[in-house]
Amino acid sequence: MDQLAEFNFKYNSPIVCAAIHNGHDVSLEISRNLAVSESIRLMEEDPYTERFAELCSNTIIGKTSRFEVDLNRSVEKCIYLEPKDAWGLRTRKEKPSDELISRSIEKYTNFYSSAKDYFRRLEKKFGIFFVYDIHSYNHHRKGENSEFEDPILNPEINLGTSNMLEKWFPLVDKIRYKLTEFDFFGKQLDVRANVKFPGGHFSRWIHNNFPDSACCIAVELKKFWMDEWTGKVYYDKFYKLIEALNSTHKLIESDLLKY
């Protein structure tokens, strides 16, 4: 497995939807050494997040599990070697060889090199572009029969704006308002910025490399649309949430023309 993610760009829109933690695959040489079960691995990944990117004409979809290489961490921390790297989980039976680590890091480096090339082409065509960095997060970690974590600290949609320029803040506010006003089965979605997550390495990397031309929002979707423990999807909520996110595209394209 040479590619950690698939890049599909049509360049007919300045919007990119990325789901880099969507992947579940692991290479054979990695799987033999994994100490974590597949069910726990799936729980800590971001399953189904590629579906939130489907209506976007430019996509980056993770295919490889974060337990092999984590694309949303710096190169120094992209491989989980100790429990402290992965929520206290023992992820490896034994430390991988230096050769195996080097090959994984090479894949990581290739991903970011490819991402830069695609973004440069998008920048050249549109001048500026927008990236939805789509993730999901757990809020029921204490057990299937335990209480859910405090909703005050766990919004249904968390917008992470890590190290973006202040000029993008008005657009972030418009997106938040648009999502909040969306009719979600007769109620409003709880959408807040930087409550649970400020955004990870991928969004910071985008802003560091394209500070004036790229706005990247790390979207963390609380897993209220699925059962974290069984993987069961509540499709009514799932499809409605996809609809909510996609409802912001026209707003974004229109607003980018002002910059």
Side-chain angles (χ1 to χ4, degrees):
M1 192 183 305
D2 294 326
Q3 284 191 322
L4 302 180
E6 287 184 356
F7 293 83
N8 296 290
F9 278 61
K10 294 181 180 178
Y11 298 104
N12 59 357
S13 167
I15 299 176
V16 180
C17 291
I20 61 175
H21 275 166
N22 174 82
H24 184 62
D25 297 337
V26 291
S27 59
L28 182 59
E29 55 190 353
I30 298 294
S31 66
R32 288 171 175 165
N33 191 36
L34 281 181
V36 64
S37 69
E38 184 174 8
S39 61
I40 293 298
R41 182 159 62 83
L42 184 63
M43 182 178 175
E44 299 297 349
E45 294 161 346
D46 297 354
Y48 308 107
T49 48
E50 68 176 334
R51 298 290 300 277
F52 290 92
E54 282 184 345
L55 294 186
C56 197
S57 60
N58 306 305
T59 62
I60 304 173
I61 306 300
K63 296 300 180 182
T64 300
S65 172
R66 65 191 301 177
F67 283 85
E68 180 163 342
V69 180
D70 192 332
L71 293 171
N72 204 32
R73 296 193 183 181
S74 65
V75 66
E76 296 84 7
K77 298 180 180 179
C78 70
I79 301 173
Y80 306 158
L81 297 176
E82 300 178 20
K84 66 179 181 180
D85 301 327
W87 316 279
L89 295 172
R90 177 173 173 259
T91 61
R92 309 286 174 132
K93 296 174 183 176
E94 56 186 39
K95 183 180 178 181
S97 66
D98 290 342
E99 179 184 357
L100 191 56
I101 291 175
S102 294
R103 288 207 298 269
S104 294
I105 289 176
E106 182 180 5
K107 293 178 184 179
Y108 175 98
T109 303
N110 288 340
F111 167 83
Y112 274 95
S113 177
S114 295
K116 183 174 285 188
D117 289 341
Y118 280 101
F119 289 151
R120 279 176 175 165
R121 288 182 61 185
L122 206 62
E123 179 187 45
K124 184 176 181 181
K125 179 167 184 179
F126 293 100
I128 57 176
F129 60 95
F130 179 93
V131 181
Y132 262 139
D133 177 23
I134 304 167
H135 299 268
S136 59
Y137 77 93
N138 296 321
H139 65 127
H140 199 195
R141 285 189 175 277
K142 294 179 181 179
E144 287 186 78
N145 299 315
S146 67
E147 293 184 358
F148 288 89
E149 294 177 27
D150 188 351
I152 298 298
L153 303 175
N154 295 269
E156 290 169 326
I157 302 179
N158 180 98
L159 304 179
T161 62
S162 181
N163 80 326
M164 69 168 56
L165 295 182
E166 287 188 13
K167 74 174 186 176
W168 302 115
F169 290 176
L171 175 55
V172 175
D173 287 340
K174 291 176 184 178
I175 292 170
R176 188 187 64 79
Y177 181 77
K178 179 75 173 179
L179 289 170
T180 300
E181 290 301 301
F182 184 83
D183 183 0
F184 195 78
F185 301 107
K187 78 175 197 69
Q188 289 186 332
L189 287 163
D190 177 13
V191 186
R192 287 174 279 159
N194 304 312
V195 175
K196 188 75 175 182
F197 305 98
H201 177 77
F202 184 56
S203 59
R204 291 193 298 271
W205 176 87
I206 290 172
H207 291 139
N208 287 339
N209 284 273
F210 302 91
D212 296 312
S213 55
C215 176
C216 177
I217 296 180
V219 182
E220 289 279 356
L221 305 165
K222 184 166 73 173
K223 291 181 181 177
F224 69 100
W225 46 273
M226 68 176 292
D227 187 312
E228 297 171 20
W229 292 91
T230 67
K232 179 183 178 181
V233 176
Y234 310 131
Y235 281 102
D236 54 345
K237 294 180 179 179
F238 180 60
Y239 290 132
K240 201 70 171 177
L241 199 55
I242 291 173
E243 185 183 343
L245 195 64
N246 286 324
S247 74
T248 64
H249 286 199
K250 289 184 179 180
L251 162 69
I252 295 167
E253 288 187 339
S254 175
D255 209 74
L256 287 180
L257 297 175
K258 302 174 183 179
Y259 290 91

